[in-house]
Amino acid sequence: MAFNSLVFAVFLLLVFLLYWNLPNKPLGIRNAFLLLASYIFYGWWDWHFLGLILINSTVDFLIGRSLHQAQSNRARKIFLGISLTTNLGILGFFKYYDFFIVSTMEMLHAIGLQANFHTLAIILPVGISFYTFQTLSYTIDIYRGKITPTRDPIAYFAFVSFFPQLVAGPIERASHLLPQFFEKKHFNREQAKDGLRQILWGLFKKTVIADNLAPYVDKIFSNYETYPAPMLLLGMLYFSVQIYCDFSGYSDMAIGTARLFGFDLKRNFAYPYFSRDIGEFWRRWHISLSTWFRDYVYIPLGGSRTRTTLQHFSNILLTFTVSGFWHGANWTFVMWGLLNGLYYLPPSIRGPHQHQTEVVALGRLFPTPLEFFQICRTFVLISFAWILFRATSFPHAIGFITHIGTSSWLDPLRHTKGLWNVLLIFVIDWVQRDKQHPLEITTLPRYARWGIYYMISLLILFVGKTGHVPFIYFQF
Amino acid sequence: MFPSSTSNSEENPPGWAGIWPFFWQIIIFLSPFILIGLALEFALWKTGDLWSPQYALNHQQRSTKESLYGPRFFSDQFNIYKLSGIRYRHPSILSIGSSRVMQIRDRMFHPLKNEFYNGGGLLRNAFDLEAFAVMILGEELPLPQVLIVGIDPWWLRTNYGKTTWLHDSDERFSFAGHIEAFRQILKKDAFKKAFAATSAFESPHFRYEAIGTSARIEGTGFRKDGSSLYPPNVFLEYVDSPIYRDRESPPIINRIQMTKREFSLPATIDEKRVRMIIDALSLIKNKGVEVYAFMPPFSTEAYDALEDSPALNKWWNYYKHEFPKLLESHDISVIPVSHPAQYELDDTYMFDGWHPSEVYIAHLVKKLIENAPHSSFLKNVLLEDLTLTIKNAAIPLAFNLPGTITETSSN
């Protein structure tokens, strides 16, 4: 059941109506209902995989309690170890088993040894990378003493499987989302309206921008040998916008949906393509994952508080490489992560206090020439790295990049219609870059607001791609 | 850094009382969409476009007079319509293939005309043929006595089609299908046509009972026997100016010369697909069905272009020479690819570079029957009658002209 389907619209309507008509006391009733709805939502793909969520949730719920009660440090470490092994074991098996088998065979073959291991052609359960990280953060935070475990299994299970963010995030922390399951909820019309606005905006980005760019991207990437260099750069640009609108569109719909039920999810995107350096980009792109890796990988490795710069650099590179590997069992993702790590090194030298955080050119219509240069530079670097992300294999990526350098620059551009989509999203995002989402237009008079909502709805209906186009991040 | 947009903490009473004003606002916002949507759905139902292919087929087959099915606002789902037609008619003589066999008609098989059904348009590639064979063998479809299978050259190519569409579901049951239909209907000319089609129940010129906007306005669609009727304007145009025109866009000759679409490069033979076709036909034949592999003709102009194309030469020659031999080695009769000049006709017998008219295709059917073995079911067909039909054809494109056309020509 994907957010861009009719069946989800019907499901959402029913769940919304029932949820707000359930009694607020005891709290467990609404949580149990959300849990049931979330399991139906997830089981719609393949009910067999519900077992995995149940295993993850049960293990971490019990481990959380045991961790808290454990007296010795050794026992605590053992419990954490069990949680890590179970969660990462399941994730590793379903996501990486075949990759490791194939890679091992290729390596042995490269050194002249013949090996014939069997792959299992395992189907990746949708959202497994997201909910695994969510449950892991729960046990790690208890281990660190940052949170205390819950005694309420229903609330905990609902937290792990909360349907708006179950399959592609934002990856929530227990400290932020779990307490919301213990709040008495009253329907807040303004919050719900804002949720709907954000859903509308997410749907627009997905169906009008991303899905209309997808056919161009597919054509250019799958037949790159036949295209001249400018077309390949156009393909790179289109993919940069496609993946942004696809993924941030999903996040918008997830956050908006949660708001209909009175929940606030973490922000996941903050106009990343207006970043002035790579560091800023990673604080604005897939924020829930970036901060997860920062808190649970980078800092435990020593972060920037290391004795040598080399060690600091290796922490950065390792964190980015693991982050790349999280995305998928393919060397392209590993290399994409590594490349971003390399990009990150120069700004990291400036130290944390130098990080750009404020909205670019706030209060001004245009950026300064320097800001403009910085934004363009960051965008080009990131877009170049997306080639690795989009390519189906490492040789494919290398072939694509090589072809940019070796093919003709004089042939005319084709598939330029997509540039309108690119322009549209950049202009709207730029104008509204100080808002949570571009449809945060509550200061406008009602007729103007409704005019904008109608315009976006009409674009979705008449320009948006019909039919079900899966979200890119569902494969992770 | 990023302030939360959760606005005020205004809370509403619990239950319906709380969410009703919110809901009311949403309903007001959506009401123009809902009203327009309902009006369009009603119009689509009135035109017949919204009828499911099965429903339309049942209606058409039960009709006592000739009936034409030609929807416009949902994409051409011949698969559902034709499969339903085969099941309904349970034909002894069945022709299948792409649109290039759609001109074979029941009247060519007198006195077996009620035993015939044209499944043209059902198959688009080798995967479709394989899926069709599986359906026949699995008794999902009735077994005919004679099967005429039109095989296009591009079915043998690598990368032409990747899946079958025989199992696709009816897009009238999908939200996306309706949105697409609305998008089409709201275009200027289409809207006018759809509006006119809501109250027109007969096709223009031939005055058949008509289901669907294309049938009611352009007069094109499928007859009860599954054969396709071109828009009568095509015949009118021919009567006014009796020359050959390639009505495809882009014209077939251009596609061949510029190696585009079905003729794109590299034009390499896919052994797997060849095997798939042979296996499918052999399996059907082993069930006791007389199988005829029919290679639909090209216009002389297109045929010559294929002969002269060095880039397509290897593929074309394989289709023309080696593939028929391969079929014959599996005991499958072949009607080889041809062009009008081989039958002492000219290109006016073609609608375009690759769609033969019913008159030209009648020549091919006649040859097929003549060459059939003595024990063949086809030998029950009265060849004299077919010869007479061909001889009396009104124009190279059609056996008959509607009254209005005759009047026009006589004027």
Side-chain angles (χ1 to χ4, degrees):
Chain A
M1 201 188 297
F3 286 172
N4 55 340
S5 65
L6 182 65
V7 68
F8 178 74
V10 175
F11 168 84
L12 183 61
L13 180 69
L14 291 177
V15 174
F16 176 80
L17 289 177
L18 288 169
Y19 179 80
W20 288 113
N21 278 289
L22 287 172
N24 220 342
K25 272 185 187 174
L27 276 168
I29 292 180
R30 281 188 174 174
N31 288 342
F33 176 71
L34 276 184
L35 178 63
L36 177 71
S38 299
Y39 279 4
I40 291 171
F41 173 82
Y42 192 73
W44 207 267
W45 269 285
D46 191 337
W47 61 270
H48 293 91
F49 292 135
L50 277 173
L52 291 178
I53 295 191
L54 275 168
I55 293 171
N56 274 20
S57 306
T58 309
V59 167
D60 285 317
F61 178 74
L62 296 174
I63 295 279
R65 309 255 337 120
S66 308
L67 254 174
H68 190 60
Q69 286 159 0
Q71 301 297 319
S72 71
N73 211 20
R74 188 167 172 272
R76 286 159 48 77
K77 279 186 175 162
I78 289 172
F79 284 127
L80 181 66
I82 295 170
S83 170
L84 288 171
T85 311
T86 312
N87 285 297
L88 296 178
I90 292 174
L91 180 65
F93 176 74
F94 280 94
K95 192 162 178 174
Y96 301 106
Y97 177 83
D98 282 354
F99 171 73
F100 279 123
I101 292 290
V102 171
S103 297
T104 308
M105 280 198 293
E106 282 172 358
M107 245 162 49
L108 290 173
H109 185 73
I111 57 170
L113 296 172
Q114 286 299 323
N116 195 15
F117 307 122
H118 289 286
T119 55
L120 299 177
I122 300 164
I123 298 167
L124 182 69
V126 67
I128 190 169
S129 308
F130 291 90
Y131 67 73
T132 300
F133 270 35
Q134 189 155 312
T135 55
L136 267 180
S137 74
Y138 174 74
T139 45
I140 297 171
D141 282 356
I142 294 171
Y143 174 80
R144 288 175 174 177
K146 284 188 171 177
I147 56 169
T148 51
T150 175
R151 288 165 184 275
D152 185 341
I154 301 288
Y156 179 73
F157 278 51
F159 152 72
V160 175
S161 61
F162 188 43
F163 75 87
Q165 46 86 241
L166 173 60
V167 291
I171 301 166
E172 281 292 335
R173 304 290 176 84
S175 57
H176 178 248
L177 183 59
L178 192 53
Q180 297 183 49
F181 284 90
F182 296 100
E183 290 166 2
K184 241 168 80 178
K185 295 226 177 299
H186 296 285
F187 182 70
N188 181 322
R189 201 186 333 164
E190 287 311 312
Q191 190 186 23
K193 275 159 66 176
D194 194 54
L196 278 184
R197 280 192 284 265
Q198 200 158 357
I199 292 173
L200 185 68
W201 180 244
L203 197 60
F204 169 80
K205 277 199 282 190
K206 166 68 178 158
T207 60
V208 177
I209 308 290
D211 291 351
N212 278 315
L213 289 175
Y216 298 128
V217 173
D218 292 347
K219 259 186 211 165
I220 295 170
F221 270 82
S222 54
N223 303 304
Y224 70 88
E225 307 96 327
T226 61
Y227 285 105
M231 286 297 298
L232 300 184
L233 294 180
L234 193 67
M236 184 179 90
L237 168 70
Y238 283 173
F239 182 65
S240 302
V241 176
Q242 183 202 352
I243 193 164
Y244 164 61
C245 289
D246 191 284
F247 191 24
S248 71
Y250 180 89
S251 293
D252 281 332
M253 284 189 264
I255 294 166
T257 304
R259 288 168 82 76
L260 289 176
F261 297 90
F263 287 84
D264 268 316
L265 298 182
K266 277 184 176 179
R267 193 180 199 196
N268 218 15
F269 288 85
Y271 309 101
Y273 287 151
F274 301 140
S275 303
R276 284 150 289 187
D277 61 43
I278 297 293
E280 187 184 0
F281 176 83
W282 282 107
R283 284 186 297 281
R284 290 175 176 276
W285 178 276
H286 203 176
I287 300 165
S288 64
L289 183 74
S290 307
T291 51
W292 198 99
F293 274 102
R294 182 195 66 200
D295 295 346
Y296 300 109
V297 179
Y298 178 67
I299 291 173
L301 283 171
S304 57
R305 292 178 184 173
T306 50
R307 273 179 288 181
T308 62
T309 311
L310 193 67
Q311 213 176 339
H312 178 203
F313 281 4
S314 73
N315 289 344
I316 291 171
L317 292 178
L318 189 65
T319 305
F320 271 99
T321 308
V322 175
S323 154
F325 197 47
W326 173 91
H327 282 83
N330 194 329
W331 289 110
T332 51
F333 295 119
V334 177
M335 297 312 289
W336 170 77
L338 184 64
L339 181 60
N340 273 288
L342 290 169
Y343 285 165
Y344 196 84
L345 296 181
S348 72
I349 298 168
R350 287 182 297 182
H353 58 285
Q354 292 291 322
H355 289 160
Q356 310 263 24
T357 50
E358 77 284 6
V359 175
V360 65
L362 189 62
R364 285 179 280 131
L365 186 57
F366 297 109
T368 62
L370 177 65
E371 284 169 337
F372 182 70
F373 167 75
Q374 289 170 329
I375 290 169
C376 291
R377 180 190 59 191
T378 309
F379 182 73
V380 168
L381 288 172
I382 289 297
S383 297
F384 182 76
W386 285 132
I387 295 173
L388 285 159
F389 195 94
R390 176 59 180 76
T392 49
S393 65
F394 196 57
H396 181 200
I398 296 297
F400 190 98
I401 294 164
T402 313
H403 209 69
I404 294 175
T406 54
S407 61
S408 161
W409 283 82
L410 300 172
D411 292 14
L413 273 179
R414 284 186 285 144
H415 307 321
T416 48
K417 261 189 186 174
L419 284 171
W420 289 109
N421 296 37
V422 175
L423 187 69
L424 185 66
I425 196 69
F426 274 115
V427 169
I428 296 173
D429 267 9
W430 178 260
V431 172
Q432 293 294 83
R433 68 195 180 282
D434 57 338
K435 309 286 195 312
Q436 283 275 316
H437 60 85
L439 281 190
E440 211 178 273
I441 47 174
T442 42
T443 50
L444 293 179
R446 177 178 285 194
Y447 69 85
R449 274 184 284 136
W450 279 47
I452 291 170
Y453 303 151
Y454 273 122
M455 208 153 63
I456 289 174
S457 304
L458 287 171
L459 281 171
I460 291 170
L461 283 173
F462 289 98
V463 185
K465 205 88 174 160
T466 54
H468 175 56
V469 184
F471 287 92
I472 294 173
Y473 262 68
F474 276 17
Q475 62 184 302
F476 307 135
Chain B
M1 175 175 123
F2 306 113
S4 164
S5 74
T6 313
S7 43
N8 58 51
S9 58
E10 175 201 335
E11 286 176 359
N12 301 86
W16 267 112
I19 57 175
W20 181 244
F22 171 69
F23 240 78
W24 184 235
Q25 219 168 352
I26 294 173
I27 289 167
I28 291 172
F29 176 78
L30 292 177
S31 54
F33 295 112
I34 294 168
L35 289 174
I36 294 170
L38 286 175
L40 293 178
E41 290 287 338
F42 179 71
L44 286 169
W45 176 260
K46 285 284 283 178
T47 61
D49 285 59
L50 194 57
W51 298 7
S52 79
Q54 292 102 320
Y55 178 80
L57 184 116
N58 289 346
H59 182 91
Q60 186 185 22
Q61 296 292 342
R62 279 199 296 265
S63 171
T64 49
K65 48 194 264 194
E66 184 56 282
S67 171
L68 211 54
Y69 174 64
R72 180 193 169 107
F73 294 108
F74 287 89
S75 64
D76 303 328
Q77 291 196 295
F78 303 155
N79 53 339
I80 300 168
Y81 175 77
K82 290 292 172 99
L83 287 173
S84 306
I86 295 169
R87 289 190 186 107
Y88 190 100
R89 301 264 294 206
H90 207 311
S92 300
I93 306 167
L94 174 63
S95 68
I96 52 167
S98 65
S99 59
R100 299 174 70 215
V101 300
M102 279 180 186
Q103 295 299 312
I104 304 179
R105 292 182 61 183
D106 56 1
R107 60 186 299 179
M108 297 173 190
F109 299 92
H110 182 72
L112 304 176
K113 58 180 286 189
N114 290 333
E115 307 270 341
F116 171 79
Y117 188 71
N118 190 324
L122 190 60
L123 311 185
R124 303 188 298 192
N125 56 43
F127 295 98
D128 289 335
L129 179 58
E130 186 187 47
F132 176 82
V134 170
M135 290 172 101
I136 283 271
L137 298 173
E139 295 177 7
E140 285 178 63
L141 289 173
L143 206 62
Q145 292 197 47
V146 176
L147 182 69
I148 302 166
V149 186
I151 300 172
D152 295 325
W154 39 94
W155 291 15
L156 315 181
R157 296 185 39 157
T158 43
N159 298 327
Y160 187 81
K162 287 176 182 155
T163 50
T164 176
W165 75 327
L166 293 203
H167 307 296
D168 284 4
S169 52
D170 187 353
E171 67 178 32
R172 287 162 183 82
F173 294 114
S174 83
F175 182 65
H178 287 253
I179 295 293
E180 277 297 335
F182 292 169
R183 286 178 184 183
Q184 288 174 39
I185 205 172
L186 288 175
K187 285 175 188 163
K188 196 179 161 195
D189 285 348
F191 186 76
K192 276 186 202 163
K193 284 180 178 173
F195 189 74
T198 54
S199 55
F201 299 102
E202 288 185 334
S203 69
H205 304 297
F206 282 99
R207 307 193 71 78
Y208 292 150
E209 179 196 39
I211 305 163
T213 303
S214 287
R216 288 181 179 182
I217 303 302
E218 276 112 34
T220 180
F222 292 114
R223 300 183 188 93
K224 283 164 96 170
D225 68 352
S227 66
S228 150
L229 174 65
Y230 269 73
N233 279 341
V234 169
F235 308 135
L236 274 171
E237 186 187 53
Y238 179 83
V239 171
D240 280 347
S241 163
I243 54 163
Y244 164 68
R245 294 174 184 84
D246 192 328
R247 297 169 179 86
E248 277 285 320
S249 178
I252 305 306
I253 183 83
N254 292 8
R255 293 189 205 185
I256 296 169
Q257 285 168 346
M258 297 169 78
T259 58
K260 297 279 178 201
R261 300 200 187 183
E262 293 78 3
F263 308 95
S264 61
L265 298 177
T268 45
I269 306 295
D270 186 337
E271 293 294 339
K272 200 178 133 206
R273 289 172 195 236
V274 171
R275 192 76 257 157
M276 213 185 261
I277 295 168
I278 300 284
D279 287 349
L281 297 182
S282 300
L283 284 169
I284 297 171
K285 189 175 162 50
N286 291 343
K287 291 282 272 185
V289 179
E290 283 180 50
V291 177
Y292 296 88
F294 175 77
M295 328 280 264
F298 287 89
S299 65
T300 307
E301 169 192 79
Y303 192 98
D304 289 345
L306 281 163
E307 292 281 300
D308 295 342
S309 169
L312 304 174
N313 195 266
K314 203 175 162 194
W315 165 59
W316 172 245
N317 278 324
Y318 181 86
Y319 176 72
K320 209 172 69 166
H321 300 299
E322 289 153 62
F323 185 59
K325 280 183 201 155
L326 189 62
L327 286 165
E328 279 162 353
S329 72
H330 286 80
D331 240 4
I332 296 162
S333 307
V334 179
I335 298 92
V337 62
S338 62
H339 58 90
Q342 288 173 331
Y343 288 82
E344 296 176 359
L345 309 172
D346 57 37
D347 279 353
T348 57
Y349 284 78
M350 299 289 295
F351 285 109
D352 49 57
W354 63 16
H355 286 112
S357 72
E358 59 187 16
V359 183
Y360 180 14
I361 219 162
H363 281 85
L364 300 174
V365 168
K366 189 178 161 205
K367 184 168 175 146
L368 183 150
I369 296 168
E370 282 168 352
N371 291 349
H374 290 297
S375 56
S376 169
F377 181 72
L378 289 174
K379 288 295 183 190
N380 295 313
V381 174
L382 284 174
L383 271 178
E384 301 77 19
D385 193 83
L386 179 55
T387 309
L388 204 64
T389 305
I390 294 169
K391 195 179 157 198
N392 292 338
I395 55 171
L397 292 176
F399 295 132
N400 294 101
L401 290 173
T404 47
I405 296 176
T406 315
E407 282 161 26
T408 307
S409 61
S410 62
N411 289 339

